[in-house]
């Protein structure tokens, strides 16, 4: 079974690559004793980049995995809905 994000895989990988670069930049900033507020600004940007990836993955999961399981019904549908609810709760708490 293909994952829901398969159509967006290259875009997700590009976003993750940019976020990875941001995190490396933050480490470099700390190593170079950059002003803390400037570092915090970059941490916020990296956090938003990862949140964007998470929301895209969640959207794909709902549109693909949850929708397919719901159409089929039964215990798998209930499991996928519980899974999605738990994922949303984790995203909201973070």
């Amino acid at each position: 079974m293909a994952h829901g994000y398969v159509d967006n895989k290259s875009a997700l990988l590009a976003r993750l690559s940019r976020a990875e670069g941001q995190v490396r930049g933050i480490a470099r900033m700390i190593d170079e004793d950059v002003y803390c507020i400037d570092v915090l600004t970059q941490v916020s940007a990296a956090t938003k980049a990862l949140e964007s990836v998470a929301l895209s993955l969640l959207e794909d999961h709902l549109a693909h995995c949850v929708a397919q399981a719901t159409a089929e019904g039964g215990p798998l549908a209930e499991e996928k809905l519980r899974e999605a609810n738990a994922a949303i709760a984790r995203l909201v708490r973070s």
Side-chain angles (χ1 to χ4, degrees), residues 19-37:
E20 180 182 20
Q22 286 177 306
V23 171
R24 273 192 254 105
I26 293 166
R28 195 169 35 258
M29 291 172 80
I30 289 174
D31 186 51
E32 296 170 358
D33 297 321
V34 172
Y35 184 56
C36 52
I37 294 301

Side-chain angles (χ1 to χ4, degrees), residues 26-74:
I26 293 166
R28 195 169 35 258
M29 291 172 80
I30 289 174
D31 186 51
E32 296 170 358
D33 297 321
V34 172
Y35 184 56
C36 52
I37 294 301
D38 295 336
V39 176
L40 287 170
T41 298
Q42 292 306 309
V43 168
S44 178
T47 300
K48 292 298 178 192
L50 288 175
E51 286 175 356
S52 173
V53 170
L55 289 173
S56 179
L57 286 168
L58 179 61
E59 181 180 344
D60 291 340
H61 180 66
L62 291 172
H64 182 264
C65 302
V66 175
Q68 182 178 352
T70 302
E72 293 172 9

